[in-house]
Amino acid sequence: MKVLADLHNHSCLSPCASLEQSPSLLARLARERGLGLVALTDHNSALNCPAFEASCRREGLAPLFGIEANSVEEVHVLCLFGTAKGALDFGLLLRPLLMPLPYDAEKLGDQVVVDEDELVIELLDYYLGAALTMGFDELCALAASSGALVIPAHVDRPMFSVSSQLGFLPPGPYDAVESMRRPEPALCGGLKAISGSDAHYPEHICRRPFAVELPEGALELGGEGLLECLRAALRAGSLTASWEGQ
């Protein structure tokens, strides 16, 4: 079964994302634009995952729940879970590791926790865009040991990537890598590269999805069953990135 997927999307919780980008809007536009599987991956937090879960249920869309974590070297990595609880629990592990940088909402952007009907629950007063006090290798190991699907983000970008911050992809417990364009083989570590939209605004949603072959019924499984089906497909290379045509 061929599924159009996008595993890199932000909501109004991320300080660099549009306030229009609610979890409910992400779910609705993802369905309208043809995605079958979509993940929410805000910076260093999963607090909007419960609203995203309810919104995807309402839209009849299969969700995954994650965090785009930022290592001490400022390398971004996608950490994806089958349940909102799994992502929230991982977020609790990261919270004490978040550097306490000064945060000015007017300059850096609001960080809004909402429900599935876009009602504001909380405005965070600490900065989610900061780096964690944990190195990239240790962060990836922690995510893997927590059951996450681990994907170094936008490995070919000139900032916040393994190529820009480290100069190479070290060995690690990765399930795939994400790239904006066809990456150099050295940045893949022998793994297949997925494309991802890194959507911060409504117009970004579904701009760089990838197609993946999943077993029949995998989307209906949801939760850990869906996550493991996706993990197996990524490691087998059963996918087609946006630059390859779908």
Side-chain angles (χ1 to χ4, degrees):
M1 175 178 63
K2 187 176 181 180
V3 176
L4 200 62
D6 200 326
L7 304 182
H8 193 169
N9 298 282
H10 295 267
S11 77
C12 50
L13 178 60
S14 291
C16 46
S18 167
L19 289 177
E20 295 178 77
Q21 187 96 331
S22 66
S24 60
L25 181 71
L26 171 60
R28 178 170 61 80
L29 292 183
R31 177 186 56 78
E32 290 177 359
R33 295 173 186 177
L35 292 179
L37 175 62
V38 63
L40 175 60
T41 51
D42 281 310
H43 290 294
N44 290 323
S45 177
L47 289 175
N48 268 349
C49 282
F52 182 62
E53 180 176 36
S55 299
C56 287
R57 187 182 304 116
R58 185 163 59 195
E59 296 293 338
L61 189 62
L64 290 175
F65 310 94
I67 291 174
E68 184 176 18
N70 185 13
S71 76
V72 72
E73 306 93 343
E74 298 211 88
V75 179
H76 289 183
V77 56
L78 302 177
C79 309
L80 296 159
F81 297 85
T83 65
K85 183 182 184 304
L88 288 167
D89 288 346
F90 187 65
L92 289 175
L93 295 178
L94 299 186
R95 175 66 184 94
L97 304 174
L98 191 62
M99 290 187 184
L101 297 185
Y103 170 56
D104 183 336
E106 288 191 7
K107 293 180 179 179
L108 297 173
D110 290 311
Q111 303 171 140
V112 189
V113 182
V114 296
D115 68 11
E116 64 270 26
D117 297 315
E118 301 185 342
L119 296 176
V120 175
I121 296 172
E122 184 180 4
L123 293 171
L124 298 190
D125 59 2
Y126 54 90
Y127 186 45
L128 292 176
L132 301 165
T133 57
M134 178 176 281
F136 175 73
D137 290 345
E138 190 178 359
L139 176 59
C140 291
L142 178 64
S145 67
S146 299
L149 194 130
V150 181
I151 303 175
H154 39 65
V155 295
D156 59 336
R157 270 196 178 158
M159 58 192 305
F160 302 126
S161 69
V162 291
S163 58
S164 68
Q165 306 307 107
L166 304 179
F168 70 108
L169 177 70
Y174 320 126
D175 296 285
V177 299
E178 181 202 42
S179 186
M180 300 297 101
R181 300 167 188 82
R182 189 186 300 275
E184 295 294 327
L187 290 177
C188 296
L191 299 165
K192 195 74 184 281
I194 66 170
S195 47
S197 293
D198 194 6
H200 287 72
Y201 298 88
E203 58 266 31
H204 292 170
I205 296 169
C206 201
R207 63 177 170 172
R208 280 190 297 265
F210 68 98
V212 59
E213 290 290 337
L214 294 176
E216 290 293 336
L219 297 183
E220 289 73 20
L221 278 176
E224 296 303 322
L226 171 57
L227 188 77
E228 292 310 313
C229 286
L230 179 61
R231 190 192 307 275
L234 294 180
R235 290 186 174 181
S238 303
L239 62 97
T240 306
S242 59
W243 56 80
E244 296 175 298
Q246 294 153 16

